[in-house]
């Protein structure tokens, strides 16, 4: 349908918050300017922690903190890597409101990570990477299981399966 290409999801077991940083940094190595990452998962799942790891991988200087109250934060990359646009879409009703933030040009030159972005994915058009973070049923278990799945031509033929074999320890 309309050229949407589905790539098999990659499942990654992420044991700790630091491992989520390592995972985000490894994912960032696969990302380029214009890419959109939609991070989903419950409150406290680790979406912001993932964004911090992606920021680390892009060489972002300074803290990547939740953009809940400002909706979006921009961070410059370093070493020739793209910057990071970090969006919290929880209070955005639609992709139109995201576009109203006037981020389009910035997004072309950066990796955009959108927390709570799953609901606006269809409106964004183009390609995106879904990163779905699941907590354990057991509240004492910090392990997260992450599903990474590319949608659209950008991700056709991109093999993300090495992400499931990261050495976290
Ligand atoms: P969200 O943005 O999804 O609401 P945050 O990233 O802000 O979630 O919070 C996740 C919390 O869970 C952080 O305090 C983080 O340190 C903690 N944490 C513990 N284990 C993990 C893990 N395996 N992956 C990600 N975060 C973890
Ligand atoms: Mg968050």
């Amino acid at each position: 349908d309309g050229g949407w290409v589905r790539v098999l999801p990659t499942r990654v077991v992420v044991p700790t918050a630091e491992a989520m940083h390592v995972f985000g940094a490894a994912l960032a190595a696969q990302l380029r300017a214009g890419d959109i990452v939609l991070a989903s998962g419950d409150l406290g799942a680790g979406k912001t922690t993932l964004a911090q790891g992606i920021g680390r991988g892009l060489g972002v200087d300074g803290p990547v903190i939740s953009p809940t109250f400002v909706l979006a934060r921009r961070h410059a990359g370093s070493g020739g890597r793209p910057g990071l646009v970090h969006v919290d879409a929880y209070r955005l009703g639609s992709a139109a409101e995201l576009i109203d933030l006037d981020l389009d040009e910035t997004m072309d030159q950066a990796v955009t990570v959108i927390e709570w972005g799953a609901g606006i994915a269809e409106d964004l058009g183009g390609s995106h990477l879904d990163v779905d973070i699941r907590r354990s049923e057991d509240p004492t278990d910090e392990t997260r299981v992450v599903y990474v799945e590319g949608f659209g031509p950008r991700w056709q033929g991109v093999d993300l399966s090495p992400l499931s074999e990261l050495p976290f320890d």
Side-chain angles (χ1 to χ4, degrees):
D1 63 48
W4 286 89
V5 176
R6 244 185 116 106
V7 179
L8 281 179
T10 293
R11 180 181 182 275
V12 189
V13 177
V14 180
T16 64
E18 172 54 22
M20 187 65 84
H21 285 161
V22 170
F23 166 71
L27 179 61
Q30 304 294 322
L31 297 172
R32 54 193 197 217
D35 284 346
I36 295 176
V37 176
L38 303 177
S40 53
D42 295 341
L43 187 70
K47 301 178 294 298
T48 298
T49 307
L50 169 75
Q52 289 165 350
I54 292 173
R56 185 192 284 187
L58 297 173
V60 163
D61 198 19
V64 172
I65 59 171
S66 177
T68 304
F69 299 105
V70 294
L71 302 182
R73 289 180 196 279
R74 285 179 261 203
H75 304 269
S78 66
R81 286 162 290 188
L84 172 67
V85 172
H86 185 192
V87 179
D88 188 322
Y90 190 73
R91 291 182 299 154
L92 289 183
S94 65
E97 288 177 54
L98 177 61
I99 288 152
D100 283 349
L101 292 173
D102 265 339
L103 288 168
D104 316 33
E105 263 183 55
T106 322
M107 285 170 65
D108 288 343
Q109 291 155 30
V111 167
T112 299
V113 177
I114 309 180
E115 298 189 33
W116 303 105
I120 62 172
E122 297 76 15
D123 304 337
L124 281 171
S127 301
H128 63 267
L129 195 69
D130 268 11
V131 180
D132 189 10
I133 307 172
R134 312 263 178 94
R135 309 174 76 143
S136 167
E137 310 256 303
D138 172 1
T140 65
D141 183 354
E142 293 204 329
T143 304
R144 306 304 198 252
V145 178
V146 179
Y147 294 89
V148 187
E149 189 169 7
F151 292 86
R154 157 72 177 96
W155 296 104
Q156 181 172 19
V158 177
D159 181 15
L160 296 166
S161 64
L163 291 169
S164 65
E165 282 145 34
L166 291 172
F168 287 129
D169 298 304

